[in-house]
């Protein structure tokens, strides 16, 4: 049984940032500078090729922490951030780059690779959640949410399907091939965002994944634009969604 070890701490503008390791997996926990006792916790999944402190993660954490008074945590996915790549990682990434350069379909490669990363990451996330809930400012009885897009969706759908402590989740675009069966196991409220003109993930694929969720409350946000053009206001929307279901009012973005 591994314990969570904090390795660095800094604070700014009402938010405390603490780096940690959990069983050799690096992560970061953001918390309010004050009033954080027993505050809800949101787990965040970063995108493929990104890492725990990617600007999108830091920005989303700030919305959750300063706007809602939540804790927000993210760990590096296998082969990402401060974690070494294996020979398998290098091979999959090389095949993906080759397909992209040739203008070929990348879906089959991404689906296969992300499924493997999710298989590895789910038990890491569960162990991390165990450890985070042992912290006195979080505790084991508070609500837990999840938010992630891309790889963060591949890992998140797999995690939420088997983790009863997570009571609301916001996801973004991904192929349904592997995830649809897992989505059928999810009954908690879900918000799902996709790009209507996505050149990588066909519209029908995004709709199929949304349709697979068994949740009685699920909301689809479809925005005009290509894969990398998701509006920034979707981050605000996901925060409001999580605040509504985890029991805190979200402040309006400036």
């Amino acid at each position: 049984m591994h314990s969570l070890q904090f390795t660095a701490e800094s604070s700014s503008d009402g938010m405390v940032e603490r780096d940690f390791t959990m069983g050799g997996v690096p992560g970061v926990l953001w918390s309010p500078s004050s009033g954080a006792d027993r505050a809800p916790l949101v787990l965040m999944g970063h995108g493929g090729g990104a890492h725990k402190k990617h600007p999108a993660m830091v920005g989303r954490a700030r919305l959750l922490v300063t706007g809602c008074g939540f804790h927000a945590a993210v760990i590096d996915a296998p082969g990402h951030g401060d974690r070494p790549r294996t020979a398998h990682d290098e091979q999959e990434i090389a095949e993906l780059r080759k397909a992209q350069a040739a203008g070929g379909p990348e879906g089959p490669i991404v689906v296969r690779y992300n499924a493997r990363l999710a298989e590895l990451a789910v038990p890491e996330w569960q162990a991390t959640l165990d450890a985070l809930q042992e912290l006195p400012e979080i505790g084991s009885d508070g609500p837990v949410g999840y938010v992630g897009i891309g790889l963060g969706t591949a890992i998140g759908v797999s995690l939420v399907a088997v983790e009863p402590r997570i009571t609301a989740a916001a996801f973004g675009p991904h192929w349904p091939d592997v995830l649809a069966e897992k989505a059928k196991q999810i009954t908690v409220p879900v918000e799902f965002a996709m790009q209507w003109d996505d050149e990588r993930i066909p519209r029908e694929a995004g709709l199929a994944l949304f349709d697979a969720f068994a949740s009685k409350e699920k909301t689809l946000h479809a925005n005009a634009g290509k894969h990398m053009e998701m509006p920034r206001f979707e981050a605000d929307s996901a925060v409001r969604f999580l605040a509504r279901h985890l029991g805190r009012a979200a402040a309006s973005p400036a």
Side-chain angles (χ1 to χ4, degrees), residues 8-106:
E9 179 175 328
S10 62
S11 62
S12 64
D13 301 325
M15 185 167 74
V16 177
E17 176 182 289
R18 288 178 284 177
D19 294 351
F20 65 81
T21 60
M22 174 61 201
V25 178
V28 58
L29 172 65
W30 290 279
S31 302
S33 296
S34 61
D37 286 353
R38 291 297 196 265
L41 170 67
V42 176
L43 311 179
M44 305 192 302
H46 64 71
H51 55 86
K52 62 185 179 298
K53 289 190 179 181
H54 186 277
M57 294 292 96
V58 178
R60 195 179 294 269
R62 186 165 295 282
L63 291 173
L64 290 162
V65 172
T66 63
C68 303
F70 289 178
H71 300 280
V74 59
I75 59 175
D76 281 331
H80 288 69
D82 293 324
R83 303 183 67 176
R85 287 180 178 174
T86 64
H88 179 260
D89 293 324
E90 297 290 2
Q91 179 180 349
E92 293 283 52
I93 293 167
E95 288 192 29
L96 176 60
R97 297 291 178 257
K98 183 178 179 181
Q100 290 173 332
E106 61 187 75

Side-chain angles (χ1 to χ4, degrees), residues 150-161:
L151 173 59
T153 291
I155 293 173
V157 170
S158 303
L159 174 63
V160 177

Side-chain angles (χ1 to χ4, degrees), residues 111-112 114-116 118 154 157-158 174-183 209:
V111 166
R112 179 183 69 218
N114 282 359
R116 174 56 179 162
V157 170
S158 303
H174 202 279
W175 293 264
D177 305 57
V178 174
L179 296 185
E181 286 304 312
K182 299 179 187 298
L209 180 54

